[in-house]
Amino acid sequence: LSAYLAEQGVEVMQRDLNLEVVDHLLSGEAVRDAQREVRRRFATRAGRRHARGPQPDARAVEWALSHGEDLAAHVAEAKAVYRSEAFWDAERGPWALGVLAGSLQLVSLLYYPGYVEMSAFGAPAREDSSHDLLRLIADPAANTYYDVLDRHIIDSLVAEAPDLVGISIPTMSQMVAGLTIAHLLKARGLRAHITAGGPHLTMLREQLIQTPAIFRLLDSVVVFDGERPLGALVQALEAGGDLSAVPNLLYRQGEEVLATPEACPIPLAELPVPRFDGLPLDRYLIPEPVLPLISSRGCYHGRCAFCSVGYGGPRRLEALRPEETVSRMLALQERYGARHIWFADEAITPPNLRDMAALLEERGAPLHWAAYGRMDRAVTAEILGSLARSGCRMLFYGLETASPPVIAAMHKGTTAAQMSRVLREGAAAGIWNHVFFFFGFPGETMENAQETVDFLYAHADSIHSAALGTFMLERHSPAHRSPQDYGIREVLEAPERDLAITFPYRVDRGLDAATADKVAMRLMDVLPRKEQPHLYVHDTYRLLYAGRLHDAGEPYPTWLGG
């Protein structure tokens, strides 16, 4: 978005407020302030008497009081470790993780039961309820982000005197922070048009039309791809503010929220290389930058019953030519000194993977990169070997299940035998295999779940990391649009959850949600303890480890290994 607007002659300043907020929370000042407030609020008789809402456990308060000063004294050093070669040290890395995680745990006590973690945020209220959400964003005592935004960030945004402020809200966990920014900018009297966009708001486009109160904070919402709408929005604002001709836009007119017609996105090949100018790449908690890139829109399979790809809009599949993708990878390397690229595509097609690998191999494999793929028949040992030689160090796969009847019910379009072959051949080639899987797809039985567990243990030497969970019935997925086709007897939609993107449900047969949760937790309980836990905090760290271990000729650790 930034690169496109800059190319159109718009002056653009971009800020990563996630980074700025967490960087402040991980400061000696913030940790000491939090410890003093924890003592005043939870460890004194007067504080306890006047406290409202749920209270943290007394043991957590005692821990904060006994460890707070030490955490505050070392948190800056811990950040420095994560931003340097010391990250790799077998003792310094885990020590730094403990300090960073502990500091956020202490700060989070002030907003209990809300919390901030290294790569997660939990709100102390329902983020899928507009009533709760709007109340939370204006409550400094409960809103984890309010104070730091209000005291340390908002004034610097106002000082820039922008004409247009765009807020990205890609996930539900960003709703509180994103709307708090809008609330505080409005409270400061900033005379700018405030818009927001991102996948989460796109998923909720129909619900937002029925929620005009949100548009007291936001002047508009951009849905689907944002380049064309943002360019048109800039022009409309310059011309006097008539928004009716801006495509893909929700905006309030009186008490009504209007939606303009949707327009096709600008072809990827016509968009510029992503622009990271102005972002402090050296302040992220990572020893060297990993930059994102996209080479395609949509999913070339696009039929999985649980997946909301496309968010219910027209199915569009578009991909850059491999030559253009490689050109963009090299441009990011040249401009920003990045040696690691993270593809954010839903799944890159096997032919494009093959051709990208060949082009990068010809150039001496100058980059390490990771991508999302599918364990298809077309992903051959030859392609996997070429990928490894080209610098591909990590591939993410949606395993989901290894039970043949559940694979068929999901419309996954693969087989357990294909998944087995791709995992083994990828590992043999030197690629780190990361798999996603879950329990509880409608109709799945305990016997089916056991088939997945048996598959995982049978491939313990070929799976290097994994993310497990339970089935969620997600808005716009085929299972949500046609629940009866998947054995879902009833979808339980609650009026107070007016911004929900997932729904509880009842099934005719198989595991219910509670049982699926128990199966997942049981598997988590028996996983082996890892000697280097900082390896598993974020997937970007895994990519860096994969590259480092590969280059050193050392074996990858495995998910089911100690």
Side-chain angles (χ1 to χ4, degrees), residues 69-113:
E69 186 55 44
D70 186 61
L71 291 170
H74 292 99
V75 67
E77 182 185 356
K79 287 194 293 187
V81 167
Y82 257 63
R83 293 166 175 163
S84 71
E85 281 291 303
F87 171 88
W88 306 108
D89 187 274
E91 294 183 0
R92 297 282 286 163
W95 169 83
L97 172 62
V99 172
L100 298 177
S103 298
L104 291 178
Q105 184 178 342
L106 192 158
V107 171
S108 295
L109 289 177
L110 300 180
Y111 307 97
Y112 181 85

Side-chain angles (χ1 to χ4, degrees), residues 20 34 126 133 196 294 542:
E20 294 181 32
R126 293 177 301 191
L133 189 60
I294 189 167
R542 293 188 176 100

Side-chain angles (χ1 to χ4, degrees), residues 271-469:
L271 293 175
V273 176
R275 177 178 180 267
F276 299 97
D277 298 27
L279 296 179
L281 298 181
D282 59 341
R283 283 176 59 193
Y284 288 89
L285 293 174
I286 197 165
E288 55 182 303
V290 178
L291 296 184
L293 185 63
I294 189 167
S295 71
S296 63
R297 290 188 179 112
C299 175
Y300 70 90
H301 179 66
R303 293 187 291 276
C304 294
F306 53 83
C307 184
S308 62
V309 62
Y311 315 117
R315 185 180 176 218
R316 301 185 181 100
L317 179 62
E318 177 194 6
L320 292 172
R321 293 182 299 107
E323 295 83 359
E324 178 62 28
T325 300
V326 170
S327 173
R328 294 180 182 215
M329 295 172 74
L330 298 176
L332 291 178
Q333 181 186 35
E334 181 179 355
R335 292 182 192 179
Y336 304 106
R339 299 193 309 122
H340 297 84
I341 301 294
W342 185 285
F343 281 98
D345 305 48
E346 295 287 345
I348 302 179
T349 66
N352 277 11
L353 285 174
R354 177 197 63 210
D355 294 345
M356 287 165 52
L359 291 167
L360 288 165
E361 197 174 349
E362 288 174 3
R363 289 163 173 77
L367 294 156
H368 289 168
W369 54 283
Y372 294 82
R374 282 177 46 82
M375 290 181 276
D376 288 344
R377 181 173 55 187
V379 180
T380 64
E382 180 183 4
I383 289 177
L384 291 165
S386 180
L387 288 171
R389 293 191 300 274
S390 78
C392 178
R393 294 291 171 261
M394 190 173 183
L395 287 175
F396 294 81
Y397 297 113
L399 171 71
E400 324 308 359
T401 177
S403 171
V406 183
I407 291 173
M410 288 179 176
H411 305 302
K412 275 292 296 179
T414 187
T415 67
Q418 283 175 206
M419 294 190 291
S420 173
R421 178 189 60 77
V422 171
L423 289 172
R424 295 194 188 285
E425 291 176 349
I431 293 174
W432 182 300
N433 291 321
H434 180 96
V435 301
F436 302 91
F437 68 98
F438 59 84
F439 299 111
F441 186 78
E444 182 181 48
T445 65
M446 193 66 77
E447 291 74 21
N448 298 145
Q450 186 62 51
E451 289 180 284
T452 298
V453 174
D454 292 345
F455 180 94
L456 294 168
Y457 276 92
H459 295 79
D461 59 345
S462 303
I463 296 174
H464 305 101
S465 55
L468 75 154

Side-chain angles (χ1 to χ4, degrees), residues 46 57 66 75 217 358 451 473 497:
D57 185 86
S66 61
V75 67
L217 305 173
E451 289 180 284
L473 182 60
R497 297 179 63 236

Side-chain angles (χ1 to χ4, degrees), residues 124-142:
R126 293 177 301 191
E127 295 169 277
D128 58 4
S129 163
S130 63
H131 175 270
D132 289 8
L133 189 60
L134 291 169
R135 184 174 59 184
L136 176 62
I137 63 171
D139 184 355

